[in-house]
Amino acid sequence: MEHAMSPIEDETDGSEMEANRASIGRSMGRWRLLVGRRVLARLAIENVAPGLEITHLDVLDAVWRAEPEGEVTVGTIAEMMRIDPSRASRIVADMVARGALRREASQADARRIIVVMTDLGNRLMREVKAVKRGVIESILADWPEDDVAAFAGLFDRFVTSFEQVHQSRERENAERRAAQPAP
């Protein structure tokens, strides 16, 4: 009688290279659940700003990351968060009311309104990042420094490549949709 392989045995049967790729896939699944549940963000909110929601942190993070590149608009935030501009505008308005963001006239075009981080917003982001960094440090506490350095470089390389594959596929899908005749 033939032995039926379990999905895990089937994935890892064969070369070490296949086993490593299967292990990465399983780890990515576990990581996806943690990221999907926003474990780090929830912990940061709990410790730093219990009254905030995850979307508030997302808006603050979008402004934090975009400000060094230039003026930040609600459209910029919506694009970075991949949400509707009207939803981004509502979240920004809430963060303005809470004092973490403010709206200003653009210095480049006075007709345009930009979103700027306030001192409170900057402090919140520093505190949230400190909580996240603390969690990462506790995870890596017993890792040899060489492993941490190798992981940092490899993880960044993996995520960068993942982003590139995603962007490429999105472009291909957009091109395919554009090439289809209208119904």
Side-chain angles (χ1 to χ4, degrees):
M1 176 177 230
E2 269 186 54
H3 168 64
M5 284 192 219
S6 72
I8 292 176
E9 287 174 333
D10 186 44
E11 283 181 350
T12 59
D13 193 39
S15 74
E16 184 177 342
M17 189 168 30
E18 289 171 350
N20 289 337
R21 281 157 177 71
S23 177
I24 291 169
R26 287 190 302 276
S27 294
M28 282 179 66
R30 293 176 21 235
W31 180 248
R32 182 191 58 78
L33 290 174
L34 292 169
V35 170
R37 292 183 184 131
R38 306 292 302 269
V39 172
L40 276 175
R42 290 180 193 285
L43 182 60
I45 286 171
E46 182 180 301
N47 287 316
V48 174
L52 294 183
E53 297 175 14
I54 289 176
T55 54
H56 294 131
L57 288 187
D58 291 342
V59 165
L60 288 176
D61 186 61
V63 175
W64 179 278
R65 288 183 292 125
E67 274 187 334
E69 304 299 318
E71 295 181 335
V72 181
T73 64
V74 168
T76 304
I77 295 166
E79 187 177 309
M80 290 178 76
M81 292 178 59
R82 296 178 181 255
I83 61 174
D84 185 78
S86 64
R87 182 159 185 247
S89 182
R90 286 190 300 274
I91 300 167
V92 165
D94 191 17
M95 295 309 288
V96 167
R98 292 171 183 262
L101 297 173
R102 73 175 175 271
R103 295 177 194 243
E104 294 180 354
S106 165
Q107 295 302 307
D109 180 353
R111 297 170 293 174
R112 189 170 60 168
I113 301 299
I114 61 171
V115 178
V116 178
M117 191 85 71
T118 65
D119 290 340
L120 172 62
N122 282 312
R123 191 181 87 240
L124 283 171
M125 285 307 298
R126 283 191 305 275
E127 290 174 9
V128 164
K129 289 183 180 307
V131 168
K132 290 180 179 183
R133 195 171 32 258
V135 170
I136 292 167
E137 287 173 2
S138 71
I139 292 166
L140 301 174
D142 61 350
W143 288 31
E145 192 53 43
D146 288 349
D147 286 358
V148 174
F151 179 71
L154 292 171
F155 190 62
D156 183 63
R157 185 170 141 197
F158 181 83
V159 171
T160 298
S161 295
F162 198 96
E163 287 171 333
Q164 290 169 346
V165 166
H166 171 68
Q167 291 165 352
S168 173
R169 298 243 169 106
E170 280 200 338
R171 275 192 305 276
E172 290 169 8
N173 288 337
E175 290 168 3
R176 192 175 13 262
R177 283 191 300 273
Q180 292 177 352

